[in-house]
């Protein structure tokens, strides 16, 4: 949807990153989204009804958690996948910064688990590190944790402004697609760099097949649904990478 808007967004991100310096270059993703938003609005791809109806200030609606045995059983494997995803993102940041962050892996998993617990107690969704955020880090080259403390506090404040949320929700699909192409592509390239640094043997057909499949599934966001539950491409790619490697190598060893 909105192919012209998507192309304009991606082109704007690339041009701003190429010709600008300093701060402007670091916020090329944001500026590209602004360009895509304007282009989408000019092509009548923005629905302003939600923005007009939204309040300027309101507290979030909290919902107490309910427990479903079937849902818990279904999501137990997903927890393991999210752990693998989180570890992969920490590895990606480690590769970008040139700093060994293996010692912080436990802290990252603990923080993610606590954040998900707190969010669930109020009816919020589970939290994860999100590939888009890692892509932004790669694009901006801003690695300061102080910047992300400020961003987190800013997000909490803006969460109290429904008008702003409605404005974001009205972002044209094409603009999101154009920016997503850049962000997920960056994550894919960082993953390839990790494999190269780890000297993964791609002459091995199992390594080649599993890594190629995981890349395509993850970057293109191949999702599948079971009833009302949907598993995104990142989760499916992690399953393919982890289980595929284990199962295929086990079969090869059993063959002798």
């Amino acid at each position: 949807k909105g192919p012209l808007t998507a192309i304009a967004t991606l082109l704007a991100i690339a041009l701003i990153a190429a010709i600008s310096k300093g701060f402007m270059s670091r916020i090329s993703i944001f500026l590209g989204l602004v360009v895509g938003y304007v282009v989408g609005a000019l092509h009548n791809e923005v629905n302003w009804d939600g923005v007009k109806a939204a309040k300027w200030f309101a507290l979030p609606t909290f919902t107490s958690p309910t427990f479903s045995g079937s849902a818990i059983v279904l999501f137990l494997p997903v927890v393991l996948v999210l752990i693998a995803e989180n570890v992969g993102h920490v590895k990606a940041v480690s590769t970008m910064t040139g700093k060994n962050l293996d010692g912080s892996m436990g802290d990252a998993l603990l923080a993610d688990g606590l954040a998900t617990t707190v969010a669930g107690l109020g009816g919020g969704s589970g939290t994860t590190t999100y590939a888009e955020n890692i892509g932004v880090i790669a694009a901006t080259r801003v690695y300061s944790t102080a910047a992300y403390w400020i961003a987190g506090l800013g997000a909490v404040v803006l969460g109290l402004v429904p008008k702003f949320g409605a404005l974001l929700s009205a972002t044209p699909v094409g603009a999101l697609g154009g920016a997503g192409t850049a962000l997920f592509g960056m994550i894919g390239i960082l993953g390839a760099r990790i494999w190269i640094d780890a000297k993964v043997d791609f002459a091995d057909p199992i390594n080649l097949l599993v890594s190629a499949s995981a890349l395509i599934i993850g970057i293109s966001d191949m999702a599948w649904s079971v009833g009302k539950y949907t598993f995104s491409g990142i989760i499916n790619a992690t399953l393919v990478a982890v289980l595929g490697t284990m199962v295929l190598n086990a079969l090869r060893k059993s063959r002798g």
Side-chain angles (χ1 to χ4, degrees), residues 29 34 36 40 57 80 90 92 96 104 147 156 178 185 194 205 245 256:
I29 300 289
V34 172
F57 176 82
L80 300 177
V90 173
M96 284 186 280
S104 301
V156 171
I194 291 172
T245 301

Side-chain angles (χ1 to χ4, degrees), residues 84-143:
E85 179 186 3
N86 204 322
V87 169
H89 287 166
V90 173
K91 285 287 189 181
V93 174
S94 178
T95 300
M96 284 186 280
T97 59
K99 181 179 180 181
N100 188 343
L101 298 176
D102 287 353
S104 301
M105 203 74 74
D107 294 338
L109 293 173
L110 177 62
D112 206 355
L114 289 175
T116 295
T117 302
V118 172
L121 291 174
S125 61
T127 64
T128 183
T129 41
Y130 295 105
E132 296 90 336
N133 291 338
I134 310 301
V136 169
I137 294 174
T140 61
R141 300 184 299 282
V142 174
Y143 310 125

Side-chain angles (χ1 to χ4, degrees), residues 7 12 16 39 54 58-59 95 121 131 149 161 167 179 188 191 199 201 255-256:
I7 293 171
I16 293 169
V39 172
L59 292 174
T95 300
L121 291 174
W149 274 102
V161 184
L167 192 65
K199 295 180 173 58
D201 181 14
R255 185 193 64 190

Side-chain angles (χ1 to χ4, degrees), residues 27-241:
I27 62 170
S28 59
I29 300 289
F30 171 72
L31 294 178
L33 272 172
V34 172
V35 171
Y37 205 117
V38 172
V39 172
L42 293 175
H43 286 84
N44 296 320
E45 297 173 7
V46 179
N47 185 349
W48 300 106
D49 293 341
V51 179
K52 295 175 181 176
K55 298 179 180 179
W56 280 103
F57 176 82
L59 292 174
T61 302
F62 294 100
T63 305
S64 58
T66 57
F67 297 91
S68 168
S70 59
I72 292 173
V73 171
L74 181 63
F75 271 94
L76 280 176
V78 178
V79 174
L80 300 177
V81 173
L82 290 177
I83 290 174
E85 179 186 3
N86 204 322
V87 169
H89 287 166
V90 173
K91 285 287 189 181
V93 174
S94 178
T95 300
M96 284 186 280
T97 59
K99 181 179 180 181
N100 188 343
L101 298 176
D102 287 353
S104 301
M105 203 74 74
D107 294 338
L109 293 173
L110 177 62
D112 206 355
L114 289 175
T116 295
T117 302
V118 172
L121 291 174
S125 61
T127 64
T128 183
T129 41
Y130 295 105
E132 296 90 336
N133 291 338
I134 310 301
V136 169
I137 294 174
T140 61
R141 300 184 299 282
V142 174
Y143 310 125
S144 169
T145 52
Y148 296 97
W149 274 102
I150 302 266
L153 291 173
V156 171
V157 172
L158 291 174
L160 302 175
V161 184
K163 186 77 73 174
F164 179 77
L167 192 65
L168 290 182
S169 297
T171 303
V173 175
L176 293 176
T181 298
L183 295 175
F184 279 99
M186 290 175 184
I187 287 296
I189 294 299
L190 283 172
R193 180 180 169 184
I194 291 172
W195 288 331
I196 292 170
D197 290 344
K199 295 180 173 58
V200 174
D201 181 14
F202 286 109
D204 185 330
I206 290 179
N207 290 341
L208 185 61
L209 175 64
V210 170
S211 59
S213 301
L215 268 178
I216 296 300
I217 292 171
I219 293 175
S220 62
D221 195 22
M222 292 185 183
W224 66 284
S225 299
V226 178
K228 58 182 180 180
Y229 302 104
T230 299
F231 299 90
S232 69
I234 296 294
I235 292 175
N236 297 329
T238 306
L239 278 173
V240 169

